[in-house]
Amino acid sequence: MKLQDIMTKNVVTITPEESASLAARLLTRHNLGALPVCSYDGRLLGIVTDRDIVTRCVAADQDPHRVPVQDIMSRELETVGPEDDPKAAARQMAAAQVRRLPVVQDGKVVGMVSLGDLATNRRCDTEAASALTEISENIRRTR
């Protein structure tokens, strides 16, 4: 089994010039936790999460209608490839303390994989549970 077998293939993305408010609306409309930020040719530039919008924009007393996504997105990313092993992806999520990873091929986003995707797959559920436990324990330690 490979990530391409379980990843979400129809990925909603946003360009870096778009506003944080548009990102928030897309996240809500599509029930997502993160949006890959891509150039017009599909190259991955960053990722923006609901938490980024709250902590880097709203809590910083910035206007989400005027703040471009490029100002609040994360630029240092963990990525995986469509041919990668799902169990290795779960371990990578745990190590990086993230719940989702962009799936990239030739620099372009071709999918997204989440801990939920891995947890619902019987071959990966143990690794996904372990990754979630590790992420959750780290969050508790930092509070």
Side-chain angles (χ1 to χ4, degrees), residues 11-67:
V11 180
V12 178
T13 64
I14 193 165
T15 59
E17 304 83 25
E18 297 292 348
S19 70
S21 65
L22 175 59
R25 287 193 306 276
L26 288 171
L27 288 166
T28 300
R29 182 178 304 138
H30 297 283
N31 193 29
L32 302 170
L35 288 173
V37 181
C38 297
S39 62
Y40 288 102
D41 66 353
R43 298 226 173 259
L44 182 64
L45 304 172
I47 198 161
V48 65
T49 66
D50 46 4
R51 189 172 192 284
D52 293 331
I53 295 167
V54 170
T55 59
R56 297 178 182 168
C57 183
V58 177
D61 204 25
Q62 302 294 315
D63 182 354
H65 298 287
R66 295 178 189 237
V67 172

